[in-house]
Amino acid sequence: MNRTGFDPSPLTTPVVKSDLRAFSRAQRAAGTAPSPAAGIVVGAVFLVVIALVVLPVFVGVTAAFITAVAQDRAGLGSLLPGLVLVAILAVAGFFGIRGLRSSGERAYRIAMFARANGLSYIGRIDSPSLPGMIFGIGSGRQASYVVRGERPRFVEFANYRYTTGSGKNRTTHRWGYVAIHLDTPLPHIVLDAKGNNGLFGASNLPARFDADQRLGLEGDFDRYFTLSCPSGYERDALYLFTPDIMARFIDNAAALDVEIVDDWLFLYAKRDFSTTDPAVWAWLFDAVDALLDKLAQWGRWRDERLAGLQDAGTAPMDAVAPATSGAPSSAPPALLGPPPGVAAGGRRLRRGIPWASIVVVIVFVAFWLLSQSGSLWSFLLP
């Protein structure tokens, strides 16, 4: 995947209405149309309000106005409420219909963009089976406006939503992600981009990892990313993140969080990736192209910890690559080297405890209890 022959024109050129209608029907029939976005929901709410509240009032005012005209008591003032309600109906109807149309047009443009660039399009994937940290959280998990490429390796671009909490505490989380399939499983490594962190440098990632798993790298890399790798895998991380690869991440992905887990590499941001903005696609294509050029060398990595397990005949089944032919190998295990895979200790980072949040909650609860008991003032003013 590269910018050679990159064609963003379907994202901005006028849409043929008949083609759009045919595309929308096909998406609905296949059951892959994206779920309603916020704008569409707002439009639908407007239409419901019109049907249940505004329309009955409008009918009543109109009937009263007709009655007044019939009795020669109508004036300009009696016409004003009706005009106001007509204006409300027009505005609400405009935004409701526009929201419904814009979603279908957005999907059509992205699908045509994918086709023009040799990619495929899927409107919606419910609960995508990916191992990244954002994919196992909350409910209502859904990837939308999914664009995929197969060559030179599998790459997927999408927007992603999930919901946490309930009632008044219900929150919908918005992400964009790029998923790149790797040649071999690698240790779990996270690059937390410092440029998108929150207040006081707090990470925007949904998972926290033990601080003792952080690894400092040479050069300016630590100015842009905080790298975490499993304890004991520091040398492996240095093997994977050579100076040239670090430079690629700094130059092309410094605004993105990165996760390497199993045989996947993910790029994350708390924004939509699959949009109708050509500049966003140009940026993502450039970033992916710069990384793909270097990922092939990662395929040669092997976990030396599996060598002892292999010699003892206890290598985990999921750590052994499938045979490439039906004939068994006659080479001794020591000459074959470790199989592709990651030992148990390197497959997942240890999750950290959010001590700062716990301390804040404890202080708040203690303050509330003291204030409720009346002991706060006696404590402050002995």
Side-chain angles (χ1 to χ4, degrees), residues 46 225 262 290 311:
F46 266 120
F225 295 100
D262 297 340
D311 293 342

Side-chain angles (χ1 to χ4, degrees), residues 47-357:
L47 294 177
V48 171
V49 171
I50 289 171
L52 298 181
V53 180
V54 179
L55 190 58
V57 174
F58 174 70
V59 172
V61 171
T62 302
F65 177 71
I66 293 173
T67 302
V69 170
Q71 298 176 358
D72 294 327
R73 294 187 290 104
L76 183 61
S78 61
L79 186 62
L80 185 60
L83 293 175
V84 171
L85 287 174
V86 168
I88 293 174
L89 283 168
V91 171
F94 171 78
F95 281 107
I97 296 172
R98 183 181 181 183
L100 293 171
R101 287 182 175 176
S102 64
S103 175
E105 184 174 317
R106 178 187 186 185
Y108 175 78
R109 287 184 180 278
I110 295 173
M112 294 305 102
F113 164 78
R115 178 185 297 178
N117 289 275
L119 308 172
S120 60
Y121 172 81
I122 303 174
R124 184 184 78 239
I125 301 175
D126 295 325
S127 299
S129 56
L130 293 169
M133 70 176 78
I134 69 173
F135 298 104
I137 303 174
S139 60
R141 299 188 291 269
Q142 184 183 103
S144 59
Y145 304 100
V146 181
V147 173
R148 286 178 172 175
E150 301 287 344
R151 293 185 302 271
R153 65 175 68 240
F154 179 91
V155 180
E156 179 174 288
F157 306 83
N159 305 329
Y160 184 69
R161 306 285 186 273
Y162 64 87
T163 302
T164 57
S166 60
K168 293 182 179 180
N169 296 320
R170 184 180 178 88
T171 303
T172 298
H173 304 266
R174 302 171 57 242
W175 291 87
Y177 74 85
V178 179
I180 304 174
H181 195 242
L182 304 175
D183 295 325
T184 188
L186 297 175
H188 192 193
I189 295 176
V190 171
L191 307 182
D192 186 356
K194 295 183 178 181
N196 60 23
N197 284 344
L199 189 64
F200 304 119
S203 174
N204 68 336
L205 292 174
R208 300 290 182 269
F209 304 102
D210 277 354
D212 61 3
Q213 299 173 112
R214 293 176 184 172
L215 175 65
L217 298 181
E218 63 182 28
D220 293 332
F221 194 79
D222 291 348
R223 292 175 51 195
Y224 297 93
F225 295 100
T226 299
L227 186 149
S228 297
C229 69
S231 298
Y233 280 80
E234 292 81 5
R235 290 181 59 188
D236 302 273
L238 294 175
Y239 171 86
L240 296 172
F241 286 88
T242 55
D244 57 331
I245 289 183
M246 287 191 289
R248 293 294 178 98
F249 276 97
I250 292 173
D251 294 339
N252 299 279
L256 303 172
D257 297 303
V258 182
E259 182 180 20
I260 301 167
V261 56
D262 297 340
D263 51 355
W264 291 92
L265 182 146
F266 296 99
L267 307 176
Y268 302 126
K270 301 195 80 170
R271 54 165 295 175
D272 284 350
F273 278 175
S274 191
T275 75
T276 55
D277 184 353
V280 172
W281 284 107
W283 168 53
L284 292 174
F285 272 43
D286 282 343
V288 170
D289 186 39
L291 297 179
L292 290 183
D293 185 45
K294 293 294 182 181
L295 293 183
Q297 66 194 64
W298 284 2
R300 297 189 294 270
W301 177 86
R302 293 293 183 268
D303 192 343
E304 298 295 335
R305 298 157 191 81
L306 294 178
L309 295 176
Q310 185 184 31
D311 293 342
T314 58
M317 293 301 294
D318 60 352
V320 180
T324 57
S325 67
S329 172
S330 59
L335 298 180
L336 291 175
V342 184
R347 295 179 192 173
R348 292 296 183 271
L349 286 162
R350 293 193 313 275
R351 294 297 180 99
I353 300 174
W355 291 112
S357 301

